[in-house]
Amino acid sequence: MSLADHEHRAERLSDASDWTLAKRLWAFMRPHKLQFFAALSLYLPITAAVVAEPWIIGAAIDRYMQAEGPVGERLVGVTDLALLGIGLVLFCGCCLVLQQLLMQRFGQNTLLDLRGAGFKKVTRLEMGVFDREPVGRLMARLTNDIEALSEVFAFGAVGMVADLIMLVTMSAWLFYLDASLAGWAMLVVPPVIVTLLIFQRYAHNTYGALRRRSSAMNAYFQEALNGLSKVQLFGAEGAIGKRYDRANAEYREAAFKTIRYDVTLYAVIEAAGTLSTALILWHGAGQISGPEAVVTLGLLIAFTEYMQRFFQPLRDLGAKYALLQAAFAAADRVFGLLDTTEEAADTPDAVELTAPIASMTFDGVEFHYLPDEPVLQGIDLQIQQGERIAIVGRTGSGKTTLLALLCRFRRPQAGRVLVDGQDLSKVAIASFRRRLGVVQQDTYLFAGSLEENVTMNAADPDPARIEYAFEICSLEAVRRRLIRRAQEEGEAGDSESEILDGGTNLSAGERQLVAMARALYRDPEILLLDEATASIDQETERFLQEATEKVLVGRTSLVVAHRLSTVETADRIIVLADGRIIEEGSPAALLADPEGHFAKMVAAQRRKEAVAV
Ligand SMILES: Nc1ncnc2c1ncn2[C@@H]1O[C@H](COP(=O)(O)OP(=O)(O)OP(=O)(O)O)[C@@H](O)[C@H]1O
Ligand SMILES: [Mg+2]
């Protein structure tokens, strides 16, 4: 997929409502609900303390400061109330600390599960997913999006509920204290709620766009890094830089949009707070003075203090709401990943293969990656136990695809692939893949030691088999080189023979030897070998050739061959062209017909070699 395509194919958010998303998130939160409810219940004493504090101030004013009586007595009363206030603040602080710890624990536990589910999903994705989805974007979902969710767990989810509790409690208390003052104070609340509701409608999309932009940028980064040597060789830094600049600028625009919402919301609520304080003072002033005073000074002061406290949770609710919108957009994308097609699980009646595989058959197989672009057509092929088959054909003729069908990485749209007469789609796939040793065209090595790469991190590696694989694939030299390198770099202890992620610190030929050893370590019944086309030095070529010869002995094999030597020793050769088998037979039989495709290919290759020598 080209860089430019990322922008056009940036995925849309699904139609899932916030409610549906919340329900799905709850499934991940449920196992930790104890921490959730514990954190939530701590808000009750906190709310009580927050609501009590202004009342204490009001009471101090009305009962002792403004009242008649001996000064000493009034001083004692004020001191008592002050001590009560201090006690409440301390108590409230302790509850807050505990509540934060619980909430964070709850959030981190939930995220742990979500990340785990995401990673597990990634390892099970159907290969076809990568035809549509750049790896960078999947990465973004596992990292950025889950990170965005973590913010909401840290500050948002529980806090919003708490803010609501606070608002309701405080409103009730205010009406209890003085219904008419409370009525005036609350005049501004309905317009604020309407504003919040209007914002809610737009915020979802805005935050969704922000996340999409961020993931497109990630995809750019990833692709530029993967293809860096090509970018530099072809002097494409400028062109790629420009595209990145555009994505970068689009991200900024999306970010501005969300910031505009945040800032406006903040301003609206601040204004509402001030306005309501003004209303209280205006209304209260009329009631406090004169012979028919119904409102005391203490109550009025308490009310203005309450308004400060009332609009704070409302403002927080706005901020948290923004966070929540970002989180819902992120959750939508994470669930999108969790919903991506998995490699289809075995059917309930899947057959376990127990006996050695006697035959593998392609029966009228048709396959295409894209509709209307057939890649394999009418493939009929039978492979008997112990047979050595070579597949040859031009580039793009469908050789690798044929092997992918046999591994069940792809499934035919028509026809069947059979193993011992069983349709491969009805076979317990692990019981078949266990017998396969596959060397793919492009080898991938994992970060770790040479041994780990050969055994694929087997829990209980078999030293004898490692030795055997190392010997046949001439890996001793590679191992020595890696050890020497590690020593030169002065790395400590067990860092012997470290391979870098992707195997970038090995040569192409060395990587192929490791891949071969990996296949061999399993001592497979069946070998599928997709010879790499990349040219390698003659010595490694010879190593590989010798290794191939030794590896194939006594096994059923299907080799996509580019080297004549591999083809010549095969029992049968299949010639593929445009997804069809156009020739089939033993090397001798095919060579005997000078007009045949294979004979011509060999003649052409010999001529090329003659020129080269
Ligand atoms: N993921 C994909 N999506 C769409 N088309 C694909 C995909 N993979 C391969 N193709 C197409 O399918 C055809 C067969 O590809 P395949 O990799 O099987 O060829 P091949 O014979 O192995 O070629 P080579 O000798 O170069 O390795 C090609 O035309 C290729 O462009
Ligand atoms: Mg290929």
Side-chain angles (χ1 to χ4, degrees):
M1 190 174 204
S2 83
L3 276 169
D5 289 344
H6 287 310
E7 293 150 66
H8 305 303
R9 292 183 48 175
E11 75 266 61
R12 299 262 162 278
L13 286 181
S14 74
D15 300 331
S17 68
D18 288 357
W19 178 240
T20 325
L21 290 171
K23 270 201 299 206
R24 281 193 77 174
L25 268 177
W26 178 247
F28 284 91
M29 300 188 225
R30 195 164 37 216
H32 315 292
K33 60 174 184 272
L34 222 57
Q35 288 151 354
F36 177 83
F37 286 116
L40 201 59
S41 62
L42 275 172
Y43 271 110
L44 293 176
I46 294 173
T47 308
V50 169
V51 169
E53 281 158 22
W55 179 82
I56 292 177
I57 296 173
I61 293 171
D62 285 345
R63 289 191 194 170
Y64 303 113
M65 294 182 185
Q66 290 252 321
E68 310 283 317
V71 175
E73 241 173 60
R74 282 162 44 195
L75 217 54
V76 170
V78 170
T79 314
D80 283 351
L81 281 178
L83 285 176
L84 180 65
I86 292 170
L88 269 180
V89 169
L90 285 178
F91 169 71
C92 193
C94 292
C95 287
L96 269 172
V97 168
L98 193 61
Q99 179 267 334
Q100 280 290 329
L101 287 175
L102 278 168
M103 207 159 82
Q104 293 279 2
R105 186 163 277 271
F106 158 72
Q108 292 303 329
N109 282 337
T110 307
L111 289 174
L112 179 97
D113 293 351
L114 206 58
R115 272 196 304 268
F119 188 80
K120 205 161 150 197
K121 179 75 196 195
V122 165
T123 59
R124 287 185 190 164
L125 284 178
E126 194 181 42
M127 287 297 135
V129 168
F130 298 98
D131 300 346
R132 307 184 291 273
E133 190 94 16
V135 175
R137 220 184 279 155
L138 288 176
M139 275 294 296
R141 291 182 186 212
L142 266 182
T143 51
N144 288 12
D145 289 331
I146 291 191
E147 198 57 43
L149 276 176
S150 96
E151 278 181 37
V152 93
F153 282 119
F155 311 107
V158 183
M160 279 186 81
V161 183
D163 287 338
L164 280 174
I165 297 178
M166 179 75 81
L167 285 174
V168 171
T169 317
M170 213 182 275
S171 314
W173 179 242
L174 288 182
F175 275 98
Y176 169 75
L177 284 180
D178 188 314
S180 123
L181 260 189
W184 280 92
M186 298 289 158
L187 265 184
V188 292
V189 173
V192 168
I193 289 178
V194 171
T195 317
L196 274 177
L197 287 177
I198 294 174
F199 271 51
Q200 187 259 340
R201 286 194 46 200
Y202 293 104
H204 187 86
N205 287 338
T206 321
Y207 281 94
L210 185 68
R211 300 236 62 77
R212 257 195 330 270
R213 287 283 146 224
S214 138
S215 104
M217 268 203 321
N218 264 312
Y220 267 100
F221 250 126
Q222 183 111 8
E223 197 174 21
L225 271 180
N226 284 345
L228 191 58
S229 63
K230 285 87 189 164
V231 169
Q232 294 184 348
L233 273 175
F234 289 88
E237 296 93 335
I240 280 193
K242 256 188 220 138
R243 287 185 185 162
Y244 182 76
D245 287 348
R246 204 166 66 218
N248 200 358
E250 280 173 0
Y251 176 79
R252 183 190 55 184
E253 292 315 311
F256 274 156
K257 263 191 193 156
T258 62
I259 290 168
R260 272 207 294 276
Y261 282 124
D262 289 356
V263 171
T264 319
L265 201 62
Y266 188 85
V268 166
I269 292 182
E270 278 292 297
T274 312
L275 192 64
S276 86
T277 307
L279 281 171
I280 293 171
L281 289 177
W282 177 69
H283 177 71
Q287 309 228 316
I288 202 170
S289 42
E292 294 180 10
V294 282
V295 174
T296 62
L297 179 66
L299 189 64
L300 197 59
I301 290 177
F303 251 83
T304 56
E305 177 62 26
Y306 274 125
M307 279 303 103
Q308 294 304 317
R309 294 182 180 221
F310 186 83
F311 282 93
Q312 195 182 345
L314 204 58
R315 194 180 57 215
D316 285 356
L317 209 58
K320 281 171 195 152
Y321 188 76
L323 217 59
L324 199 68
Q325 283 307 316
F328 275 137
D332 199 5
R333 292 161 44 79
V334 173
F335 289 136
L337 169 66
L338 294 184
D339 293 341
T340 315
T341 333
E342 234 177 68
E343 187 184 27
D346 292 331
T347 50
D349 55 345
V351 184
E352 283 278 334
L353 298 175
T354 47
I357 310 286
S359 74
M360 296 179 290
T361 312
F362 285 79
D363 175 19
V365 166
E366 314 266 331
F367 178 80
H368 58 74
Y369 292 100
L370 304 169
D372 306 328
E373 282 183 36
V375 171
L376 291 176
Q377 301 176 69
I379 301 287
D380 289 310
L381 177 64
Q382 194 163 46
I383 304 151
Q384 300 300 340
Q385 189 172 13
E387 241 190 326
R388 191 188 285 196
I389 309 271
I391 305 171
V392 297
R394 285 221 183 99
T395 183
S397 54
K399 306 180 294 294
T400 301
T401 308
L402 198 71
L403 296 192
L405 285 166
L406 197 53
C407 300
R408 208 171 91 178
F409 279 155
R410 309 283 180 169
R411 293 170 191 248
Q413 279 92 20
R416 291 179 308 167
V417 180
L418 303 161
V419 175
D420 274 352
Q422 289 288 346
D423 193 327
L424 196 54
S425 63
K426 298 199 178 76
V427 162
I429 195 64
S431 74
F432 177 58
R433 285 192 185 149
R434 227 183 351 255
R435 295 128 188 281
L436 295 182
V438 185
V439 181
Q440 290 180 311
Q441 201 163 5
D442 23 73
T443 48
Y444 187 88
L445 304 188
F446 295 86
S449 73
L450 197 54
E451 284 77 6
E452 282 166 346
N453 263 287
V454 168
T455 63
M456 284 300 285
N457 290 303
D460 185 17
D462 179 345
R465 262 161 54 203
I466 295 180
E467 271 322 299
Y468 172 68
F470 268 54
E471 197 198 317
I472 289 201
C473 300
S474 317
L475 281 187
E476 264 319 311
V478 178
R479 169 153 50 188
R480 273 201 303 276
R481 217 168 303 153
L482 281 167
I483 292 175
R484 205 175 48 237
R485 215 177 289 167
Q487 282 167 349
E488 275 166 16
E489 285 170 9
E491 287 186 3
D494 59 359
S495 65
E496 65 136 324
S497 57
E498 279 301 323
I499 291 179
L500 296 184
D501 178 6
T504 46
N505 56 343
L506 292 185
S507 76
E510 287 167 342
R511 282 201 289 272
Q512 285 170 36
L513 287 170
V514 177
M516 189 89 89
R518 186 187 277 166
L520 197 60
Y521 172 78
R522 315 182 86 188
D523 192 15
E525 273 174 61
I526 302 158
L527 258 169
L528 306 182
L529 223 63
D530 203 342
E531 282 186 348
T533 36
S535 55
I536 44 181
D537 68 83
Q538 286 194 340
E539 196 191 4
T540 318
E541 168 92 35
R542 191 168 52 79
F543 278 146
L544 269 172
Q545 208 160 312
E546 284 172 10
T548 313
E549 278 310 310
K550 287 183 202 153
V551 164
L552 295 181
V553 174
R555 307 178 202 272
T556 315
S557 65
L558 204 62
V559 182
V560 172
H562 295 286
R563 285 187 280 274
L564 266 186
S565 55
T566 328
V567 186
E568 280 166 341
T569 51
D571 296 323
R572 190 151 46 111
I573 297 170
I574 310 287
V575 184
L576 268 185
D578 296 330
R580 291 179 190 281
I581 297 179
I582 52 166
E583 224 169 70
E584 188 175 351
S586 69
L590 294 189
L591 281 173
D593 173 10
E595 287 308 304
H597 293 270
F598 180 66
K600 280 186 185 158
M601 268 171 63
V602 172
Q605 186 145 358
R606 291 250 156 85
R607 270 202 303 281
K608 210 166 74 191
E609 280 170 8
V611 172
V613 173

